[in-house]
Amino acid sequence: MRAIVVGCGRLGSALARRMAEDGHDVTVLDPNPAAFQRLAHHGGVRQIAGSGTHVHVLEEAGVSGCETFAAVTSSNPVNLAAGLIARKHFHVPKVIVRVS
């Protein structure tokens, strides 16, 4: 299964690592390249520095062929916007959005 995780904080990095360990093709997006240090010892996760609300970044991440999309940043507006774009624009079948 191909998955995209938006946000590489504690939750996003743990989710990405777990999905990769389970054999999924995972791409993580985060605007802060330093956030990818949480994945430093996990080579099975593709990392893209950029916002999950920008269509060109999502296209670079391969959202068109994605089966699962999780927006788990600390920002509710970013998560909601990214989730709506993934679902409505790219028709991703399974979209998960963290709202706190």
Side-chain angles (χ1 to χ4, degrees):
M1 175 178 60
R2 192 171 196 178
I4 293 176
V5 177
V6 177
C8 195
R10 284 185 299 170
L11 178 58
S13 61
L15 179 62
R17 280 192 308 270
R18 179 60 187 259
M19 291 179 79
E21 288 168 2
D22 287 346
H24 303 293
D25 179 13
V26 182
T27 301
V28 177
L29 307 176
D30 198 291
N32 179 7
F36 297 126
Q37 290 179 4
R38 295 176 193 270
L39 299 172
H41 302 294
H42 204 287
V45 177
R46 184 173 171 221
Q47 305 162 10
I48 297 177
S51 174
T53 60
H54 294 162
V55 172
H56 70 279
V57 173
L58 293 172
E59 288 172 338
E60 179 184 345
V63 71
S64 294
C66 177
E67 297 161 304
T68 301
F69 184 93
V72 293
T73 73
S74 60
S75 170
N76 289 342
V78 168
N79 294 341
L80 291 168
L84 281 171
I85 293 167
R87 183 72 175 142
K88 299 295 183 183
H89 186 72
F90 291 104
H91 308 290
V92 176
K94 189 181 293 182
V95 176
I96 301 161
V97 176
R98 172 188 178 195
V99 178
S100 57

